[in-house]
Amino acid sequence: MSQDLSDYRKTYEKSELLEGNCPENPIELFRDWFLQANDSEMVDEANAMSISSIGLDGFPKTRVVLLKKYTHEGFIFYTNYNSEKGKAITANNKVCLSFFWAGLERQIIIKGRAEKVAENLSDGYFESRPDGSKLGAWASNQSEVVANKQVLTDNLSRLEKEFKNKEIPRPKHWGGFIVKPVSIEFWQGRPNRMHDRIRYELQKDFNWKLERLAP
């Protein structure tokens, strides 16, 4: 089976990105773009991002997670530390995040190093989750092979009974990572494939160097 996609075409002309409109700190530009994406009817789940890591098998792998907080220090998401993703990041903390907001013709690519957040931060976020999501963190040994779906359903049912009318604590194997960026690239689609690409790179003095890249 094959399909030729060479005639797929789209012109990008909704906006442009100029150096004169870029702040010194890329987190400020990220905030502006994120708020615009979040307010846009053309974007669903503005906080959905791809994260790429190098697996224990040596292969890169990309999957979608949800950004839960960003600060001037970095970008925070939560996961099972014992999952394939968690183990990969623990072994090699160099990762790449990517946001693609097709409706705005924008992409952001973030290279950085991931670290576990403080336990009290993971506790605080876990407490804010619905009970069903809390139980899901206990019921699923994320990325492990299971015999069938019924195993997971049974686990969840057992935990619902066990924690009925009780506080559900955070599993120690579940928590947050913060990705501290070393490079952030902003991509704005433009006509004739002459896209705007502005890259910020963190310097040794912790200031950011801004450069334009050829499309």
Side-chain angles (χ1 to χ4, degrees), residues 3 34 36 43 98 128 143 145 164 180 188-189 205 207:
Q3 183 178 1
F34 180 83
Q36 291 170 24
V43 176
S98 178
S128 74
S143 304
V145 175
K164 185 177 182 180
K180 297 182 177 181
Q188 176 68 64
D205 61 2
N207 288 315

Side-chain angles (χ1 to χ4, degrees), residues 10-15 33 36-46 99-107 187-189:
K10 175 178 170 56
T11 180
Y12 300 92
E13 51 191 27
K14 290 185 177 179
S15 188
W33 276 26
Q36 291 170 24
N38 194 53
D39 290 340
S40 174
E41 294 181 353
M42 297 180 290
V43 176
D44 185 27
E45 287 195 297
F99 295 83
F100 180 53
W101 299 312
L104 301 179
E105 300 173 352
R106 286 176 172 174
Q107 181 178 190
W187 181 98
Q188 176 68 64

Side-chain angles (χ1 to χ4, degrees), residues 56-68:
L56 300 183
D57 58 2
F59 283 89
K61 185 172 181 178
T62 303
R63 74 289 281 170
V64 176
V65 299
L66 296 178
L67 176 69
K68 289 301 180 179

Side-chain angles (χ1 to χ4, degrees), residues 79-143:
T79 190
N80 185 320
Y81 291 141
N82 292 334
S83 66
E84 181 183 16
K85 171 182 355 85
K87 291 177 180 178
I89 293 173
T90 300
N92 182 346
N93 73 340
K94 294 180 180 179
V95 300
C96 183
L97 306 177
S98 178
F99 295 83
F100 180 53
W101 299 312
L104 301 179
E105 300 173 352
R106 286 176 172 174
Q107 181 178 190
I108 302 176
I109 302 171
I110 301 163
K111 292 193 295 185
R113 295 179 174 86
E115 302 174 3
K116 290 182 179 179
V117 303
E119 289 197 3
N120 66 307
L121 293 180
S122 292
D123 288 338
Y125 174 69
F126 191 81
E127 289 174 6
S128 74
R129 304 181 91 202
D131 283 353
S133 296
K134 292 178 182 178
L135 291 175
W138 281 100
S140 173
N141 295 322
Q142 190 176 346
S143 304

Side-chain angles (χ1 to χ4, degrees), residues 141-148 151-152:
N141 295 322
Q142 190 176 346
S143 304
E144 295 295 320
V145 175
V146 292
N148 51 56
V151 172
L152 300 174

